[in-house]
Amino acid sequence: MKNLFLILLVCIGSTVHAVGPLPSDPKATPETVKLYQNMLKLQYKGMMFGHQDAFAYGTSWYAEEGRSDVKDVCGDHPAIFGWELGHLELGDKYSLDSVFFDNIIKGIKDVHRIGGINTVSWHFRNVLTGGSSWDISSKKTVASMIPGGEKHQEYVQYLEKLAAFMLSLKTEKGTFIPIHFRPFHEHTGSWFWWGKDLCTVDEYKTLWRFTVNYLRNEKNIHHLLYGYSTDRFASDEEYLERYPGDDLIDLIGFDLYDRGPEYAATLGSCAKMVTKIAAEKGKIVAVTEAGGPISKNPEWWTKTLLDALRPYKLSYVLVWRNAFNQPPNVAFGPYKGCPSEKDFVKFYNDPKTLFLKDIR
Ligand code: BMA
């Protein structure tokens, strides 16, 4: 009887009632719900590959339509495309990584049109000091930004610019393009002003809650899936210490760069913990940033990254950028002529990894 009542409730008065796992935003747009559900399903099929700024530039080119270093190497684009919004808050025309915001908007639309998935990070300025994201000279920045803080109104102005950007991301049909948004990341470390030694647990959670609620309730933005991504961590408790809540977060992830021989083991143990946490919560799970010595180790893709992650059901792993204005040997993604190029093709051909053609 109770079940029948529930079924009736779902059917009455509505033709499009989404069923199945739902994103944290009760007002998420139908396209956002669909992306969330597709990604949850896909993570049982394989692990998508992502690259930061894949369409914006590569080690030897800048803003060439339809090009990505990943495609140069394996013939297919990544499935996940990362974008960075740092300096949007200043009203600048281009990002801290020298990508014009107009090109980012175009790139996000292109990615969506060809069936890829967009994720956005935001290394934004220190609202209190005026310094960069890496300015950790004050422990009061987060406290100053939350309601009641001396810089709260300034932060709201930053969010206004962010909201205008997000609201410009529409398809030709006029529907909003669903976006993964991953602010305040790597907070288990202390190199950004929002890091663990720079604010209290309560301040960090309050900043998250204010931000998401402002975008949802004041700006009526319902096409974002929010990602919580730590840096390295050693236990579930450490991972979840600053988790702001299931009602705000859709993706559980972490960032981890290869800085030495213990990398594969740490990557595996963090992946094991997050996949368990995400399964319990019914959330998407990913390695939201990674990167290794791909210009030194010719088998890094298959022998380090893939071997470590193969046992886990992860939605994606995204490697960081191939800066066009830095030497190629600091690139985190594959590029033509890179010593691990052949190994990347093996990684691409492995049934575990999914690229753009696999998800369309
Ligand atoms: C960092 C580096 C910086 C960049 C920043 C934001 O990890 O790649 O050069 O400005 O990310 O994308």
Side-chain angles (χ1 to χ4, degrees):
M1 186 62 188
K2 200 170 151 207
N3 280 348
L4 184 67
F5 181 65
L6 278 176
I7 292 164
L8 277 174
L9 264 187
V10 173
C11 299
I12 287 170
S14 166
T15 44
V16 240
H17 251 243
V19 282
L22 295 172
S24 61
D25 182 352
K27 292 187 180 165
T29 64
E31 293 76 17
T32 310
V33 172
K34 196 171 150 208
L35 176 64
Y36 185 73
Q37 296 181 340
N38 281 346
M39 286 181 75
L40 281 174
K41 262 191 243 149
L42 261 181
Q43 75 191 17
Y44 289 92
K45 184 175 165 209
M47 177 176 73
M48 290 185 275
F49 180 75
H51 190 205
Q52 180 70 7
D53 275 348
F55 265 175
Y57 51 76
T59 50
S60 62
W61 56 275
Y62 178 86
E64 288 181 29
E65 190 152 351
R67 185 167 181 187
S68 73
D69 273 356
V70 171
K71 184 163 188 211
D72 280 2
V73 168
C74 70
D76 196 3
H77 290 303
I80 305 277
F81 291 74
W83 303 96
E84 164 60 34
L85 297 188
H87 292 189
L88 178 81
E89 70 283 1
L90 303 178
D92 286 2
K93 292 226 166 315
Y94 54 87
S95 74
L96 84 165
D97 297 328
S98 308
V99 186
F100 285 91
F101 290 112
D102 283 350
N103 285 350
I104 297 183
I105 292 173
K106 182 182 177 310
I108 287 177
K109 291 180 180 176
D110 288 346
V111 166
H112 183 70
R113 206 183 41 250
I114 62 177
I117 298 166
N118 289 293
T119 175
V120 165
S121 55
W122 193 22
H123 291 76
F124 67 105
R125 306 285 285 202
N126 185 319
V127 189
L128 182 62
T129 65
S132 73
S133 282
W134 293 266
D135 179 356
I136 50 170
S137 59
S138 171
K139 293 192 178 198
K140 301 225 170 326
T141 300
V142 173
S144 78
M145 293 162 71
I146 56 186
E150 58 178 296
K151 293 285 180 187
H152 181 62
Q153 278 321 315
E154 279 84 342
Y155 180 49
V156 168
Q157 290 314 306
Y158 281 13
L159 289 182
E160 287 293 323
K161 296 206 175 66
L162 178 76
F165 176 90
M166 294 299 185
L167 289 168
S168 74
L169 303 175
K170 283 187 176 175
T171 63
E172 276 168 14
K173 284 190 195 145
T175 53
F176 287 111
I177 297 173
I179 300 289
H180 279 267
F181 182 45
R182 191 173 65 86
F184 316 127
H185 62 303
E186 297 180 7
H187 60 280
T188 51
S190 296
W191 43 87
F192 295 130
W193 51 253
W194 56 83
K196 114 172 160 299
D197 295 341
L198 288 311
C199 58
T200 66
V201 169
D202 270 2
E203 287 163 356
Y204 182 81
K205 288 187 181 178
T206 304
L207 180 63
W208 256 107
R209 190 158 288 280
F210 171 75
T211 303
V212 175
N213 284 339
Y214 188 83
L215 296 173
R216 281 181 187 166
N217 305 335
E218 302 301 321
K219 306 312 295 180
N220 212 14
I221 292 179
H222 301 291
H223 57 291
L224 301 185
L225 294 168
Y226 291 90
Y228 172 81
S229 70
T230 64
D231 196 78
R232 70 180 56 226
F233 57 96
S235 64
D236 291 9
E237 293 69 40
E238 189 185 355
Y239 184 82
L240 290 169
E241 188 191 34
R242 287 170 185 239
Y243 182 70
D246 288 341
D247 58 332
L248 305 180
I249 298 297
D250 301 294
L251 178 142
I252 299 276
F254 65 97
D255 296 1
L256 201 70
Y257 287 81
D258 187 341
R259 309 257 186 246
E262 92 310 336
Y263 182 66
T266 312
L267 186 64
S269 83
C270 289
K272 187 175 184 183
M273 285 186 270
V274 284
T275 45
K276 191 179 122 258
I277 294 169
E280 282 161 12
K281 292 181 175 299
K283 309 277 182 194
I284 300 166
V285 55
V287 181
T288 40
E289 283 183 39
I294 58 149
S295 295
K296 281 200 203 120
N297 177 349
E299 294 189 309
W300 187 80
W301 298 105
T302 57
K303 294 276 158 40
T304 302
L305 189 65
L306 192 54
D307 276 359
L309 297 180
R310 193 185 292 285
Y312 308 106
K313 304 278 184 218
L314 291 154
S315 173
Y316 71 83
V317 57
L318 176 142
V319 297
W320 207 239
R321 64 203 199 98
N322 286 10
F324 65 93
N325 50 2
Q326 290 173 17
N329 64 1
V330 300
F332 289 113
Y335 56 92
K336 258 303 184 225
C338 130
S340 59
E341 189 180 341
K342 273 204 191 120
D343 190 54
F344 188 79
V345 176
K346 252 173 113 182
F347 175 86
Y348 167 71
N349 284 322
D350 193 287
K352 169 82 177 174
T353 60
L354 304 175
F355 285 68
L356 186 64
K357 284 180 195 153
D358 303 312
I359 67 158
R360 289 202 281 201

